[in-house]
Amino acid sequence: MRLTWLRGPTRPASRAGAALLTVVSLAGALAAATGIGYTASRPLLDDGSAYLGKGHEVAHVNGETRKADAETAMRLATGKEQLQTVRLPDGRIVTVNKATGKVSYLDAATLTPDAEPDDRPDSRGKIEPVPTDSDGYLVDREQDTVGKITVPGKPAPEPVRVEGGIKAAVPCADSVWVVTEKHEVIEVVDGREVRRVRLGAPLLGITVADSHPVAVTEDGTAYLVDGEEPRSVGRLGVSGPAVRLGAWTGAGRQILAVDPKSHRLAVLDPRNGRGFTVALEAGEHAELAAPVMLGRFAYVPDYSGPRLWKIDLTRGRVAGEPMDVPGQRGYFELKVTGKRVWANNQYDRRVLVVTADGRKDYADKGAGPELTDTEGPTGPPKEGPGTGTKNPPPDRPPAPQGPPQGPPKSTGGKTVSVPSFARGTSYQEACDRLTELGLRCRPVAVGEDEPGLDAGDVLETSPAAGRRVPVPSRVVVRYVGPLRTPSVIGSSHQEACRQITSVKLTCTRTTAADPALTPEQLGLVSEQAPQANTEIRRGATVTVTYRDSIALPSFVDQAFGEVCTRLERLYEMRCQAVAGDPATGGRQGGQVQAQDPPAGTVVKMNATITVRYYVGETAPANVVGTNIDAACAAIEAQGHVCVRAEGQCAWGTGHAVGEVSGQTPAPGNPLPVGTRITLTYYSDQCPLGDYRGQGPDAACNAINASGFACNPVAVLHPTPGVVLAQDPPGGTPRIGTQVTVQHAPWAPVATVLHGSAYPVNTAIPSPRLVYHYTCAKGGNQCRGLPRNEFYSAVPPGSPTVDSDFTGTPYAVLMTCGTAPGQKRVWRTWNGGSPRYYQHVLSEARPAADDSEELGCVW
């Protein structure tokens, strides 16, 4: 039975209209849909949900309930084949099997096929569904075509065939923007090519930012390409063929790019050309990929974890520790939909979900025979205050508590220990040994030549030696790789030499004979020898070539203040302003009369340019109350020099950040052209005190009242009720900065277990409830004694507890390793009769016939 009548019109008048129509239609179709595609309740449009790969099917995961409420009844993959799922503007679902090239079309209302699948085995791994605002397209890099996806029954137009081959493609508004292998940019609209752009430089790729397509050249320069002419908006700060641009599946306000080699995230604002880079302490084995953006945060995937880095773009730094992504090490899907970031390993039951304000959670796609469940029924702990415990879903009971029972049981089959390899063992020998044990070997070259080791010698294995693993498991063997030259093309020559010398090579600089075409190219490395990634001996020389000269443009008739600012900031040259003739014949005081050297002359960086200007007097405009950028532009346009002075914090004044609060000299009186006008403006930097030692409520009240956002975080600590740590600690951060204050809301009490713990029912993170067991039956009935007692985390009724002992809740201990300063407590006992119990403080398991780790105390 076909249920295509459930779907709304192809192009609804608005998103709200489309959502309403779909909801009404679904309400009358539940009975028909049940058993065909849905396994639970129906999804709604725009409910903070996502369509995600779940093993061999596609599931609809609700972001509010954090559970899958629907899935396909048909299998779309086998084995470990990867699926890519995209939702089109008309509500249909397109799924591509990357391994087979099969394209499936599903009705979102029933998750059943509504059109015949499209088999493209020759295009496997090279086909991608791309949704625009109104349509959907299939981009096929094998056939070099961009084909429009039409509704069932409507003929599809001929696909656009791209000359030069397709390198990458992104959607923006109603267009698909394609970068070709011949370094051209092509715009496709409504199934036809409408524009072809050439930038005259090799292209790294294309991304989307601020609702514009952005082409990026290999030297890291970003261009907006949807205007009448391409326009450079600045440099990313990273370059080279390894750089990964921001994914269109999570495009936002900023241009994003990540360099997997230097582990730097580059952020560039296309509106003002301002940017910065953030270093990720990811480790040498990191596998960084294309970032996405949601709200004020950027997210960088690291397949080596797998994990997800969160970067606060307002503060320009990493926000906390990377978040764990459920699943085994390797690729996972990362996209933004339903106002959430989804990091999904198709073959794991759990999925990492991050909300627009940066809070993480874990959703459950449901069980499946081909799914692992690496995070268990609870997932890692949630972030934020008061979320120290885990909440298991109702379909699984909590794990039983009790003393350690030895190593975990294998999930089935044989297990072996990962062998240890002697220093100097080659990775080929190591792989041979692993193969003999029935394990799979993955050799990975890392690092550089190391004292005492030759290229090819084993450094370490993962899992580590001695760990038992099922057969067959994959073991990564990391070995010493050869020293290679870093990629520095596109970096400043100073940064390039820093990178080269940091790997114990010698850096030599030389300047290019040809001048730079734009001032942005000045000082940037255009060539390196040897080329990047070339094997090289330690101490060898790497030569970097950069352009240090440029032909001057004409500055005549421009305001000399603006000219001097450009020369100093863009060209890195010195500007010498000299008074010239009086301003007559329609000229204005402050306009450039002549320049030396003249326009067209090739000059070097740090040269002095003399700017002769018409003299005169002008009355500075009154710019108090206007934005500082516009105010300086108005002052400089009158031939004066604008001097910015940061003033008081804007918070609580009723004035906007950047608003001019004062002007010196005062406006209104004519002043000689070139007079320095000081503009004082309201700052976004506000004073923040140090609230350590104060009560958390009072601290948060003071922080919020100062223009910041207080983020109280509960932590374990023996001193309750006061702020223990504060980030940032104080100073003058920006208005609205989140200030995290750590405090302990739980008060410990003294116990007989060699320290302080918490009263029964205290909801600390990962609590361990300890019971007091007593027996007073006389004779030798209490394990050979007339009276006996002990403390244990094993609950009453457990078969391991003697029925002669009565247990009552005694105290809540901490799970060891959850906070610094904890002391580990053990229960020990002898094996004979009478049995004597002791309670011992020891970081290692104490010597005894048997023992139980109770937990930790202060």
Side-chain angles (χ1 to χ4, degrees):
M1 182 173 74
R2 296 179 62 84
L3 299 176
T4 54
W5 59 271
L6 289 174
R7 193 174 59 255
T10 304
R11 298 187 184 184
S14 68
R15 297 187 183 209
L20 178 61
L21 178 58
T22 304
V23 172
V24 174
S25 300
L26 286 172
L30 174 60
T34 302
I36 299 175
Y38 276 63
T39 58
S41 60
R42 308 172 309 283
L44 307 179
L45 293 179
D46 197 26
D47 62 349
S49 62
Y51 290 89
L52 303 173
K54 175 194 173 184
H56 298 156
E57 294 89 28
V58 169
H60 177 273
V61 182
N62 190 300
E64 296 297 332
T65 64
R66 300 185 299 281
K67 287 187 175 296
D69 53 13
E71 64 182 39
T72 57
M74 60 184 294
R75 289 181 174 269
L76 301 171
T78 60
K80 292 297 182 180
E81 295 171 350
Q82 290 291 332
L83 300 174
Q84 181 184 7
T85 299
V86 168
R87 183 174 184 168
L88 300 182
D90 63 359
R92 300 171 69 206
I93 306 300
V94 180
T95 298
V96 174
N97 186 315
K98 293 292 189 180
T100 65
K102 185 174 182 178
V103 185
S104 302
Y105 304 93
L106 308 175
D107 191 311
T110 63
L111 285 183
T112 57
D114 69 352
E116 289 298 319
D118 187 358
D119 283 313
R120 303 191 186 191
D122 293 339
S123 300
R124 55 183 179 270
K126 295 185 177 181
I127 189 168
E128 181 179 26
V130 175
T132 63
D133 284 355
S134 302
D135 295 303
Y137 293 81
L138 284 180
V139 177
D140 191 325
R141 292 186 286 112
E142 175 64 28
Q143 301 180 12
D144 293 331
T145 58
V146 179
K148 189 175 182 181
I149 302 174
T150 58
V151 296
K154 184 176 180 180
E158 279 294 316
V160 175
R161 193 162 300 277
V162 178
E163 282 188 25
I166 299 176
K167 183 176 182 180
V170 298
C172 187
D174 270 334
S175 303
V176 176
W177 294 83
V178 178
V179 168
T180 74
E181 298 288 353
K182 292 186 177 181
H183 304 291
E184 296 178 316
V185 180
I186 295 174
E187 181 184 12
V188 176
V189 180
D190 199 24
R192 56 192 177 87
E193 179 182 329
V194 298
R195 186 195 318 226
R196 188 175 287 260
V197 180
R198 296 176 178 85
L199 297 178
L203 290 176
L204 172 66
I206 193 164
T207 184
V208 181
D210 201 23
S211 300
H212 293 282
V214 182
V216 180
T217 57
E218 289 185 355
D219 65 358
T221 304
Y223 293 86
L224 300 185
V225 292
D226 55 348
E228 292 185 2
E229 294 291 337
R231 180 168 66 87
S232 170
V233 293
R235 300 183 65 86
L236 287 173
V238 295
S239 61
V243 168
R244 298 291 178 261
L245 301 179
W248 64 262
T249 54
R253 168 78 169 75
Q254 314 282 6
I255 304 170
L256 302 179
V258 67
D259 183 358
K261 292 186 176 181
S262 65
H263 299 164
R264 288 184 298 156
L265 172 73
V267 183
L268 180 64
D269 190 332
R271 298 184 185 178
N272 55 32
R274 297 173 182 168
F276 57 89
T277 61
V278 179
L280 307 179
E281 300 296 333
E284 62 178 340
H285 307 307
E287 300 175 36
L288 305 181
V292 299
M293 177 179 176
L294 178 63
R296 65 187 180 93
F297 296 102
Y299 299 88
V300 180
D302 182 356
Y303 298 154
S304 68
R307 55 187 180 174
L308 191 65
W309 291 83
K310 181 172 72 173
I311 295 87
D312 188 336
L313 300 180
T314 61
R315 302 172 71 178
R317 69 182 190 182
V318 175
E321 294 295 321
M323 297 173 281
D324 291 328
V325 176
Q328 303 296 329
R329 174 176 177 171
Y331 168 80
F332 58 85
E333 181 184 25
L334 181 65
K335 63 182 178 182
V336 176
T337 182
K339 299 180 181 178
R340 288 167 172 80
V341 176
W342 304 80
N344 176 50
N345 184 312
Q346 181 179 326
Y347 288 95
D348 197 89
R349 176 169 177 170
R350 314 289 160 178
V351 55
L352 171 64
V353 188
V354 187
T355 57
D357 58 359
R359 289 180 294 111
K360 75 175 181 182
D361 210 331
Y362 290 84
D364 183 4
K365 294 184 291 185
E370 64 274 10
L371 300 183
T372 60
D373 196 8
T374 55
E375 302 300 340
T378 61
K382 302 176 185 177
E383 290 181 337
T387 57
T389 59
K390 303 177 182 180
N391 300 314
D395 59 337
R396 291 194 182 185
Q401 300 293 320
Q405 301 295 322
K409 295 182 180 179
S410 170
T411 55
K414 178 182 176 183
T415 64
V416 297
S417 292
V418 176
S420 175
F421 297 109
R423 188 174 181 85
T425 303
S426 71
Y427 75 88
Q428 295 97 335
E429 295 174 301
C431 283
D432 290 343
R433 174 61 179 146
L434 291 170
T435 302
E436 291 172 0
L437 295 174
L439 301 174
R440 299 194 301 269
C441 178
R442 182 191 174 196
V444 177
V446 296
E448 56 184 69
D449 54 328
E450 185 171 302
L453 292 179
D454 297 324
D457 287 351
V458 173
L459 286 170
E460 62 179 359
T461 62
S462 179
R467 181 171 175 182
R468 297 195 67 83
V469 295
V471 175
S473 292
R474 185 182 68 177
V475 177
V476 176
V477 176
R478 298 185 176 92
Y479 64 92
V480 176
L483 178 62
R484 297 181 181 273
T485 52
S487 174
V488 296
I489 291 179
S491 304
S492 69
H493 62 91
Q494 299 95 334
E495 170 65 15
C497 279
R498 188 196 66 77
Q499 291 186 36
I500 290 167
T501 56
S502 69
V503 294
K504 299 179 176 60
L505 296 173
T506 302
C507 181
T508 299
R509 310 180 205 199
T510 183
T511 56
D514 58 316
L517 299 178
T518 65
E520 290 86 359
Q521 295 178 345
L522 287 169
L524 299 183
V525 176
S526 57
E527 300 176 29
Q528 70 176 85
Q531 294 182 347
N533 207 33
T534 301
E535 288 191 27
I536 193 170
R537 62 179 176 80
R538 183 185 294 270
T541 297
V542 178
T543 302
V544 296
T545 303
Y546 65 96
R547 296 181 177 90
D548 68 340
S549 62
I550 190 171
L552 288 177
S554 174
F555 300 122
V556 173
D557 290 338
Q558 301 178 36
F560 85 87
E562 295 178 354
V563 169
C564 283
T565 298
R566 277 194 359 240
L567 282 170
E568 292 169 354
R569 293 183 180 177
L570 270 180
Y571 291 79
E572 296 187 37
M573 298 179 185
R574 295 184 291 273
C575 181
Q576 180 177 354
V578 177
D581 298 334
T584 58
R587 303 290 184 183
Q588 299 292 323
Q591 281 185 327
V592 174
Q593 179 182 356
Q595 66 186 74
D596 183 25
T601 304
V602 175
V603 296
K604 290 185 176 293
M605 298 167 61
N606 297 318
T608 299
I609 311 301
T610 300
V611 176
R612 188 178 180 85
Y613 61 90
Y614 293 105
V615 296
E617 289 186 340
T618 58
N622 185 352
V623 294
V624 173
T626 64
N627 179 267
I628 183 64
D629 293 330
C632 269
I635 293 296
E636 290 174 348
Q638 293 180 291
H640 300 296
V641 177
C642 179
V643 179
R644 303 172 184 234
E646 190 172 354
Q648 72 179 102
C649 170
W651 178 259
T653 65
H655 296 277
V657 171
E659 181 181 332
V660 176
S661 59
Q663 178 175 343
T664 307
N669 298 319
L671 297 172
V673 168
T675 299
R676 296 171 64 87
I677 309 295
T678 300
L679 302 182
T680 304
Y681 60 93
Y682 290 99
S683 172
D684 64 350
Q685 309 289 316
C686 297
L688 172 67
D690 186 346
Y691 297 97
R692 289 175 297 179
Q694 299 188 23
D697 292 339
C700 274
N701 290 337
I703 289 169
N704 293 331
S706 300
F708 306 105
C710 184
N711 176 34
V713 175
V715 297
L716 286 170
H717 196 273
T719 305
V722 297
V723 174
L724 304 166
Q726 174 182 326
D727 180 31
T732 55
R734 290 182 179 176
I735 294 175
T737 295
Q738 179 175 281
V739 181
T740 298
V741 292
Q742 295 184 357
H743 66 103
W746 311 285
V749 296
T751 72
V752 299
L753 300 176
H754 304 286
S756 299
Y758 295 92
V760 174
N761 297 325
T762 304
I764 65 171
S766 303
R768 287 182 61 86
L769 180 59
V770 172
Y771 300 86
H772 181 200
Y773 287 94
T774 58
C775 173
K777 292 194 172 185
N780 61 355
Q781 298 183 68
C782 300
R783 289 287 186 178
L785 296 171
R787 177 179 177 83
N788 209 340
E789 62 180 305
F790 63 90
Y791 296 84
S792 174
V794 179
S798 171
T800 61
V801 177
D802 195 315
S803 60
D804 291 331
F805 285 79
T806 301
T808 57
Y810 173 69
V812 171
L813 272 64
M814 298 171 284
T815 296
C816 295
T818 53
Q822 296 174 326
K823 297 178 291 185
R824 201 177 299 263
V825 181
W826 304 79
R827 170 172 69 103
T828 65
W829 62 91
N830 59 299
S833 179
R835 177 167 293 176
Y836 297 100
Y837 297 96
Q838 293 186 3
H839 303 99
V840 181
L841 278 180
S842 175
E843 286 306 307
R845 183 178 295 274
D849 290 345
D850 211 342
S851 61
E852 174 195 359
E853 181 182 341
L854 299 180
C856 272
V857 297
W858 296 115

